[in-house]
């Protein structure tokens, strides 16, 4: 039976550390503050905003909300970005993406208007460059950063290990690969055009699965001794939960993979539960730097 790498344990430790740091900042007259920019009323945005606000309250971070209507113009959104850039009391900014369809063509311009020093979820090209070059420019995306927090908390040394990342998105796959290399792992990225992904994964010491495909990581992909970080959150209509049939599952067929590998993150209760604490960590770091 594999050791379960529980997000709650990582989050509890992160929260305790952040509470100490926010208290120290407040003693100096600095109130760490997160600005949340939301355009429209997307249900998933509202859900994340609610969770982030609750986590902020827990660790001592103040939240300022900037709410725009669904039909907001590019100029209106840019004006809000300029406002938070100029507000020294706002240390970090989260803007929900994707923006509404009529702003799709302008999303890069809007995101890159943000001051990278306040970019706590890697919205700007400058922040991405920081991740890829290992430079202190902005902050890494919260989800791959949460994967690294889990590895660190459980003492999983990446030095000299073979790591496979499944997925090549700019949100998870590519930055996760860069961050693993910064930990001195030897990294292979697999994607939809990769041949023999299962064989490649079997040779890995660490697998980070961010395919976003339910049941895509089966027993054929794993071997004893491996660590599996399952990033994805997929709707599984067959999953039986306390509320009945249907629930969230990762990429892994958990009942197949868990008995084989050495350690694995559950879904839910793994990576996803750590991301909002990482967001708050970035806000606190930005406040300390400011």
């Amino acid at each position: 039976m594999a050791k379960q790498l529980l997000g709650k344990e990582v989050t509890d430790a992160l929260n305790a550390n952040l509470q100490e740091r926010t208290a120290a900042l407040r003693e100096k007259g600095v109130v760490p503050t997160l600005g949340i920019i939301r355009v429209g009323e997307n249900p998933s945005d509202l859900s994340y905003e609610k969770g982030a606000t609750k986590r902020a309250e827990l660790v001592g971070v103040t939240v300022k909300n900037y709410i725009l209507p669904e039909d907001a113009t590019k100029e209106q959104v840019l004006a809000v970005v300029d406002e938070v850039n100029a507000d020294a009391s706002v240390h970090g900014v989260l803007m929900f993406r994707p923006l509404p369809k009529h702003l799709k063509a302008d999303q890069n311009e809007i995101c890159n208007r943000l001051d990278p020093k306040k970019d706590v979820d890697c919205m700007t090209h400058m922040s991405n460059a920081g991740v890829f070059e290992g430079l202190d420019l902005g902050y890494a995306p919260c989800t791959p950063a949460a994967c690294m927090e889990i590895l660190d908390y459980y003492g999983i040394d990446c030095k000299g290990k073979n790591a496979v990342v499944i997925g090549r998105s700019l949100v998870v796959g590519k930055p996760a690969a860069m961050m693993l290399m910064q930990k001195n792992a030897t990294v292979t990225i697999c994607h939809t055009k990769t041949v023999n992904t299962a064989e490649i994964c079997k040779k890995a010491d660490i697998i980070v699965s961010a395919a976003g495909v339910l049941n895509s990581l089966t027993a054929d992909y794993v071997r004893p001794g491996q660590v599996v970080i399952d990033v994805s959150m997929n709707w599984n209509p067959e999953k039986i939960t306390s509320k009945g049939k249907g629930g969230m599952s990762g990429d892994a067929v958990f009942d197949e993979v868990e008995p084989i590998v050495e350690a694995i993150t559950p879904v839910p209760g793994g990576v996803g539960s750590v991301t909002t604490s990482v967001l708050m960590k970035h806000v606190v770091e930005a406040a300390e730097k400011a």
Side-chain angles (χ1 to χ4, degrees):
M1 182 179 291
K3 177 178 179 61
Q4 291 200 33
L5 308 175
L6 300 175
K8 184 180 185 305
E9 294 183 3
V10 183
T11 297
D12 287 347
L14 268 173
N15 291 348
N17 174 262
L18 292 174
Q19 285 165 348
E20 291 180 3
R21 291 163 68 180
T22 56
L25 283 166
R26 285 171 181 267
E27 284 182 5
K28 297 175 183 177
V30 178
V31 180
T33 300
L34 169 68
I36 296 180
I37 302 173
R38 173 166 50 82
V39 183
E41 305 287 328
N42 183 295
S44 62
D45 292 348
L46 291 168
S47 176
Y48 191 86
E49 183 179 319
K50 182 179 179 181
T53 301
K54 186 176 179 182
R55 186 63 50 86
E57 290 173 356
L58 176 65
V59 301
V61 170
T62 293
V63 174
K64 285 187 178 181
N65 297 91
Y66 302 83
I67 312 302
L68 292 128
E70 181 79 21
D71 60 355
T73 65
K74 167 187 164 182
E75 290 70 27
Q76 287 174 315
V77 181
L78 285 173
V80 170
V81 175
D82 289 342
E83 180 184 345
V84 296
N85 281 343
D87 188 345
S89 72
V90 176
H91 302 103
V93 176
L94 170 69
M95 181 166 65
F96 288 112
R97 298 154 291 160
L99 293 169
K101 288 182 180 178
H102 69 283
L103 295 172
K104 183 178 180 182
D106 303 309
Q107 182 163 297
N108 274 344
E109 180 185 349
I110 291 168
C111 288
N112 282 300
R113 187 77 154 250
L114 181 65
D115 182 348
K117 292 192 234 23
K118 300 188 179 191
D119 181 12
V120 290
D121 194 26
C122 206
M123 291 185 285
T124 64
H125 290 161
M126 188 69 75
S127 294
N128 269 307
V131 174
F132 280 73
E133 295 185 38
L135 301 175
D136 187 16
L137 302 170
Y139 296 87
C142 291
T143 299
C147 296
M148 302 306 118
E149 291 285 349
I150 290 170
L151 291 171
D152 288 345
Y153 177 83
Y154 284 103
I156 297 167
D157 186 6
C158 299
K159 183 178 180 180
K161 300 289 180 63
N162 290 318
V164 168
V165 177
I166 306 174
R168 54 179 169 178
S169 74
L170 272 175
V171 179
V172 182
K174 288 179 180 177
M178 295 301 107
M179 295 167 84
L180 284 164
M181 279 197 281
Q182 288 166 22
K183 290 178 173 292
N184 297 309
T186 299
V187 183
T188 302
I189 299 178
C190 294
H191 46 78
T192 52
K193 305 302 181 185
T194 301
V195 178
N196 296 328
T197 299
E199 290 181 21
I200 295 168
C201 286
K202 268 199 170 178
K203 296 175 183 177
D205 301 302
I206 299 167
I207 299 173
V208 176
S209 186
V213 179
L214 180 67
N215 296 334
S216 57
L217 191 75
T218 67
D220 293 334
Y221 287 66
V222 298
R223 61 168 174 78
Q226 289 177 312
V227 173
V228 175
I229 307 293
D230 195 344
V231 178
S232 300
M233 294 281 283
N234 308 302
W235 178 253
N236 182 357
E238 301 301 318
K239 187 170 185 174
I240 305 300
T241 71
S242 58
K243 296 180 180 179
K245 203 170 185 181
M248 302 307 294
S249 294
D251 290 338
V253 182
F254 193 83
D255 291 343
E256 285 186 17
V257 173
E258 185 271 341
I260 299 173
V261 300
E262 182 176 317
I264 187 170
T265 55
V267 178
V271 176
S273 60
V274 181
T275 54
T276 49
S277 286
V278 169
L279 177 67
M280 298 308 146
K281 179 184 178 183
H282 291 171
V283 176
V284 172
E285 287 179 359
E288 289 170 340
K289 290 176 182 177

